[in-house]
Amino acid sequence: MTKGTGMRLTINTETDTYEQAIAAVQAAYGKRPAVPVDWPEAPAVEPMPDPQDLGDDFLKDGWSEQMLFQVIAALMPRARQVIRRVVDVGGTATYDSVQQYFAPAIPRSKIGGTLTSVQAVVRRLGPDNRAKLLQRDEQARVYRIDRELLEPLRRVFALADVRTDLLRGGPYGTTVT
């Protein structure tokens, strides 16, 4: 190691044996550890789900599940949380219900600003410049997501729950401050 750099090594004292811990330290310092004969094989690692596992078939207005994931992943965490809330309540939510749900974490005066990024991200990553993900009806004071996109968005959020490393600004589920 060079001066000023550090390394973090985690050893689980409940499951790792002494030999495994020593081997991990040796490996961290570039030494080739002698593997004990009775050392159990490491369990097979299941592959992580990937956005490519989502459908690429066209849904309503040219959307695909993969495209929806790209948009959701690119949103700031607060905007992602609001979209998730509208999906969770069936695709339509009043302005007041959304504001009450997120109060005081997102002040009333900031909900609209939080959601302005949605259309910008959709314009950049969506199927075309006219595409809408979250529709706002100023007269009825509701947010709406087309019913045809609800189930695909549920699958997208399920993947986002597992692959928070692919989301902008950290996991969508982090506490809003």
Side-chain angles (χ1 to χ4, degrees):
M1 287 192 312
T2 59
K3 187 174 183 177
T5 62
M7 170 187 333
R8 179 170 292 170
L9 178 67
T10 303
I11 297 171
N12 186 334
T13 58
E14 292 180 11
T15 59
D16 295 339
T17 66
Y18 173 79
E19 291 81 13
Q20 290 170 320
I22 294 299
V25 172
Q26 289 173 336
Y29 283 94
K31 308 282 186 206
R32 293 190 155 269
V35 179
V37 177
D38 62 341
W39 196 350
E41 288 293 320
V45 177
E46 291 189 32
M48 295 272 298
D50 188 83
Q52 298 304 317
D53 298 336
L54 295 170
D56 59 359
D57 299 333
F58 288 115
L59 308 166
K60 182 174 177 32
D61 297 331
W63 287 101
S64 70
E65 287 182 352
Q66 290 179 10
M67 199 178 299
L68 287 168
F69 183 85
Q70 290 171 357
V71 168
I72 295 302
L75 292 174
M76 292 300 292
R78 287 181 176 179
R80 192 167 39 246
Q81 288 176 322
V82 173
I83 298 288
R84 176 83 182 252
R85 177 66 183 161
V86 175
V87 168
D88 288 348
V89 297
T92 302
T94 66
Y95 288 8
D96 290 336
S97 69
V98 170
Q99 290 169 342
Q100 288 172 356
Y101 183 80
F102 288 104
I106 304 175
R108 282 184 177 265
S109 61
K110 301 223 179 197
I111 288 279
T114 296
L115 296 176
T116 57
S117 67
V118 174
Q119 197 55 34
V121 171
V122 167
R123 273 194 302 272
R124 187 168 46 92
L125 299 173
D128 64 35
N129 286 338
R130 296 180 315 271
K132 296 229 183 249
L133 176 60
L134 180 70
Q135 300 164 38
R136 296 185 229 189
D137 184 336
E138 297 293 332
Q139 197 168 25
R141 297 188 45 80
V142 296
Y143 299 110
R144 187 173 296 123
I145 295 174
D146 287 328
R147 291 204 178 281
E148 296 87 353
L149 298 178
L150 290 178
E151 196 53 42
L153 279 167
R154 287 185 182 105
R155 286 189 290 276
V156 163
F157 279 114
L159 176 61
D161 288 343
V162 176
R163 292 299 307 270
T164 58
D165 59 309
L166 300 177
L167 305 179
R168 177 180 180 184
Y172 81 90
T174 55
T175 305
V176 180
T177 56

